[in-house]
Amino acid sequence: ALRQNAAVVRHAAPEVSPHKKTWTIYASQKIHEIALDLCARGAIEELTANIIYRSMASLNCRSLSEAYRREMDFRSDIFTACSNLFEVHHVHNGAEIIFGALDEDRVKAVSPELRSNKRLMFRDMFTDAIDEWVSLHRHSFGQMDAHKLFEVVGPKTFLSLVPRFRLNLRSLPATDLEVLF
């Protein structure tokens, strides 16, 4: 873990310009271990940066069998994080923030050096993991505040999520509907 932390620190731009933002990467912890705290604090970009970092272990792997194992580990981590955030009878404060990594503009802002093909692969892998959780936990997902999700992901991403996650547009306030249409 120390070697991994050192690599992250070295990669994080030692000389930070005033135009370059940095976020803490929790290299030794899994997403489900940090998601509750980051969501409660409203740290959308920090959680997004950690999700991207975790996904790169799979996307940058050259061995097919190891890449598959790492992808399954990533999916399991996201699945567990969603299960912890959206419990059957309680939705944790700021739980919708985990969906912030679906916003393409946010991903570009957090990781501007990420190439477009890797960005697409990340989005597909993350969306599939979220989609798997949503399909198995309809009731828990239904308790989520659509307005908060709209604020986290933005109108463009929200519209793309409506058919995939079967979101109810009627639960949005009129101001959000005006932005969409």
Side-chain angles (χ1 to χ4, degrees), residues 14-99:
E15 300 169 10
V16 179
S17 71
H19 305 292
K20 198 175 230 183
K21 294 183 178 181
T22 58
W23 293 274
T24 303
I25 300 293
Y26 300 93
S28 61
Q29 294 177 297
K30 295 198 172 259
I31 298 300
H32 72 269
E33 295 170 345
I34 61 172
L36 284 172
D37 181 48
L38 293 177
C39 287
R41 287 191 289 145
I44 302 173
E45 285 82 9
E46 195 168 333
L47 183 58
T48 300
N50 279 279
I51 291 171
I52 292 169
Y53 173 76
R54 285 281 170 211
S55 72
M56 288 301 118
S58 169
L59 296 177
N60 291 334
C61 187
R62 301 218 189 276
S63 167
L64 289 177
S65 61
E66 183 63 17
Y68 177 76
R69 188 194 67 72
R70 289 179 182 184
E71 181 178 346
M72 291 299 111
D73 187 44
F74 174 77
R75 287 166 148 302
S76 174
D77 195 15
I78 296 299
F79 194 93
T80 304
C82 288
S83 296
N84 291 345
L85 290 166
F86 299 94
E87 295 179 30
V88 176
H89 23 296
H90 176 67
V91 175
H92 287 270
N93 186 27
E96 296 82 4
I97 287 177
I98 196 163
F99 295 100

Side-chain angles (χ1 to χ4, degrees), residues 48-173:
T48 300
N50 279 279
I51 291 171
I52 292 169
Y53 173 76
R54 285 281 170 211
S55 72
M56 288 301 118
S58 169
L59 296 177
N60 291 334
C61 187
R62 301 218 189 276
S63 167
L64 289 177
S65 61
E66 183 63 17
Y68 177 76
R69 188 194 67 72
R70 289 179 182 184
E71 181 178 346
M72 291 299 111
D73 187 44
F74 174 77
R75 287 166 148 302
S76 174
D77 195 15
I78 296 299
F79 194 93
T80 304
C82 288
S83 296
N84 291 345
L85 290 166
F86 299 94
E87 295 179 30
V88 176
H89 23 296
H90 176 67
V91 175
H92 287 270
N93 186 27
E96 296 82 4
I97 287 177
I98 196 163
F99 295 100
L102 294 171
D103 183 10
E104 195 169 325
D105 294 333
R106 181 168 290 113
V107 171
K108 284 180 186 176
V110 167
S111 186
E113 309 268 328
L114 192 62
R115 295 188 177 183
S116 60
N117 64 337
K118 291 278 187 184
R119 197 176 314 118
L120 289 173
M121 289 168 40
F122 162 73
R123 186 185 68 206
D124 290 342
M125 186 168 68
F126 183 67
T127 307
D128 288 345
I130 294 288
D131 193 25
E132 181 182 351
W133 181 84
V134 168
S135 66
L136 293 172
H137 297 89
R138 265 276 151 234
H139 178 69
S140 296
F141 184 72
Q143 294 179 5
M144 183 177 51
D145 185 359
H147 174 68
K148 287 182 183 177
L149 178 64
F150 179 82
E151 288 178 349
V152 168
V153 299
K156 180 179 149 187
T157 305
F158 187 84
L159 271 178
S160 69
L161 296 177
V162 168
R164 186 163 190 165
F165 296 150
R166 294 179 221 105
L167 295 170
N168 184 5
L169 288 175
R170 292 185 183 124
S171 63
L172 286 175

